[in-house]
Amino acid sequence: MIAIVLLDLGARKEARKWFATASMAARESGDRQLHAWVLAREAMVPINYGAPRAAPHLAEQARQAAGNRPTAAATLAAAVVGRAYALSHQPDRAREALTAADMLMEWLDAGARADTWLTHGEQKHHVHLSHALTAPGDTPRAHENQQRALELSKPTSTMTRSLLPARHRRRHMLPP
């Protein structure tokens, strides 16, 4: 959680160090889902800071650690893999990962869809898809996901507002 906060604050080097520590602890504990979740979140560092070609490797590690069961970590990993490939100009691989993310999302139980740090709620899912679909130019689907993400967002969700286009924020009367 410290790594995520540091990432959100723009301290990417410090965030990477915390992610490395969390990854090692999760791996050593034998908790594959936690390990996958940490790797998927760590893959967002290069995605968010302009080095998307570094992200697919980490995101694929997360996907492999999570396995194919419908878990929050597996769904997050597939969505992040989709974003990484989309931003790395690999649209076919991005579409495959996003299809997997959507399928896993459909199978998640209510607990895995809750809005917590370690889950993968619908709002988060649509934010990831929106970003991944924008890069290769799938504008209609990107807009659908942006719209749904905003519908599911709390008015105080500044992170969501910053990730989605201004025209969608205005439609929902959210301040910039």
Side-chain angles (χ1 to χ4, degrees):
M1 291 178 205
I2 292 170
I4 293 168
V5 171
L6 288 168
L7 176 61
D8 289 348
L9 291 173
R12 66 179 180 259
K13 288 180 184 177
E14 291 81 5
R16 292 295 298 262
K17 290 176 186 177
W18 279 96
F19 278 123
T21 300
S23 180
M24 182 178 62
R27 186 178 57 252
E28 288 180 3
S29 76
D31 188 334
R32 290 183 57 154
Q33 294 305 305
L34 180 58
H35 188 221
W37 183 86
V38 169
L39 290 171
R41 294 298 308 222
E42 183 178 3
M44 287 190 263
V45 175
I47 286 172
N48 292 346
Y49 287 96
R53 293 186 192 278
H57 177 69
L58 271 174
E60 285 289 3
Q61 284 181 329
R63 201 170 175 192
Q64 186 174 34
N68 294 322
R69 292 188 356 240
T71 64
T75 309
L76 173 64
V80 172
V81 166
R83 285 176 71 184
Y85 284 135
L87 294 169
S88 297
H89 308 290
Q90 299 178 57
D92 292 337
R93 294 183 90 176
R95 279 190 287 278
E96 179 267 322
L98 296 177
T99 298
D102 276 338
M103 287 177 31
L104 289 165
M105 187 68 187
E106 287 178 25
W107 297 335
L108 285 183
D109 63 33
R113 288 174 173 257
D115 188 18
T116 70
W117 283 81
L118 297 173
T119 57
H120 190 74
E122 187 180 353
Q123 185 265 357
K124 292 175 190 173
H125 187 67
H126 288 290
V127 170
H128 285 292
L129 293 183
S130 165
H131 191 211
L133 294 165
T134 298
D138 192 346
T139 306
R141 286 186 59 211
H143 285 183
E144 288 172 18
N145 282 282
Q146 291 163 2
Q147 180 71 29
R148 186 66 182 137
L150 283 169
E151 289 168 1
L152 295 167
S153 297
K154 297 174 184 162
T156 56
S157 180
T158 56
M159 183 60 76
T160 298
R161 287 195 314 256
S162 68
L163 293 172
L164 299 174
R167 66 189 186 88
H168 288 288
R169 290 193 309 260
R170 283 191 301 275
R171 186 176 305 143
H172 288 273
M173 300 177 69
L174 298 173

